[in-house]
Amino acid sequence: MLKITGWSLLLGAAALIAALTLFYAPPSGDPQTPPILWNASTGQVIAGAGSIVDGTTKLELKPPGLGAVSLAMEPVAAQNYPFLHIAVERSSPDLAVLLSWTDARGEKPPQVYPIENQSLESQWIATAELNGWSGDIGSLSLIVLGQPGDSALIRDFSLHPAGKLNQLRAIYSDLSAYEPWNRAAMNTYTGVTNVSSFYPVSLAVALLVFSLVAYAALVALSRGKLRCSRVNVALVF
């Protein structure tokens, strides 16, 4: 009983992952575009004081409590980079981290997105969900706000092309993101950020449907060895 239920859930999860990667894909350009990685040659400190600690950039905030780094790059087509990875370790949880980018042609004002996820140790963002991420990107910066003397370790700040693995990473970041309870809007609390691609409830319902379909398929393929049981259906639920 538990065995068939477990197989149903595993097959349902596999079907859900396959459906997400095959039928849902953010708009993207050339998948062969090389990633723009964070390293000593591409990482630049543009505000505050920067130093290298064990191969990681340590950013110290200067008065009035500001620090910023930039990813050095030539103007790039926004659609060629549907994924962004950020890994930041903060000295204080009160530090605010903002993502900022500019239009290469100067036709649009600079865009700023306050990163909502409380855990920034490794966060993948589907850039298609960012308002204003279009056209050609001229510059990309990470801004840290706090008190003078606070610091942040910038472990990664990189752009990535389309790819199934990156897509799954972004979905996992969505589902594992911590979004604090907002008492002012408790009746409309969704548990997701403004750049989340999916609501957890919709994915949970999809997993349930796929698992039930998998259970029905296993029963049908057993040639009478297994019988449809209400208990098994209840366990799937």
Side-chain angles (χ1 to χ4, degrees), residues 18-221:
L20 290 175
T21 54
L22 290 175
F23 301 109
Y24 170 79
S28 61
D30 184 5
Q32 302 302 320
T33 302
I36 302 177
L37 303 176
W38 176 263
N39 52 48
S41 60
T42 60
Q44 298 179 346
V45 176
I46 57 178
S51 59
I52 304 298
V53 179
D54 296 331
T56 301
T57 301
K58 181 179 181 180
L59 180 65
E60 183 177 347
L61 277 58
K62 296 297 184 180
L66 170 67
V69 296
S70 177
L71 188 62
M73 61 185 188
E74 298 293 330
V76 298
Q79 65 176 0
N80 285 343
Y81 292 97
F83 298 104
L84 169 71
H85 183 239
I86 298 172
V88 179
E89 183 179 330
R90 296 170 289 184
S91 62
S92 169
D94 295 329
L95 291 182
V97 181
L98 299 85
L99 180 68
S100 175
W101 64 97
T102 60
D103 177 42
R105 300 180 180 180
E107 298 175 351
K108 296 181 292 187
Q111 304 291 321
V112 177
Y113 164 62
I115 300 177
E116 303 156 90
N117 190 353
Q118 298 298 302
S119 177
L120 299 178
E121 294 181 359
S122 180
Q123 181 179 5
W124 288 82
I125 296 176
T127 55
E129 303 294 337
L130 293 169
N131 291 328
W133 187 269
S134 60
D136 292 330
I137 307 299
S139 66
L140 184 65
S141 304
L142 206 59
I143 303 171
V144 183
L145 302 176
Q147 298 296 323
D150 286 343
S151 63
L153 292 178
I154 313 298
R155 300 191 181 278
D156 191 35
F157 180 38
S158 53
L159 286 171
H160 297 265
K164 302 302 183 185
L165 181 58
N166 292 338
Q167 185 177 343
L168 292 176
R169 285 167 171 167
I171 294 173
Y172 176 78
S173 284
D174 284 351
L175 297 179
S176 60
Y178 169 67
E179 181 65 13
W181 184 274
N182 184 0
R183 293 185 178 180
M186 60 184 354
N187 292 328
T188 58
Y189 178 75
T190 62
V192 298
T193 65
N194 289 326
V195 295
S196 296
S197 301
F198 299 98
Y199 288 104
V201 173
S202 62
L203 291 180
V205 171
L207 174 61
L208 174 61
V209 171
F210 281 124
S211 297
L212 290 176
V213 171
Y215 174 69
L218 289 173
V219 172
L221 294 173

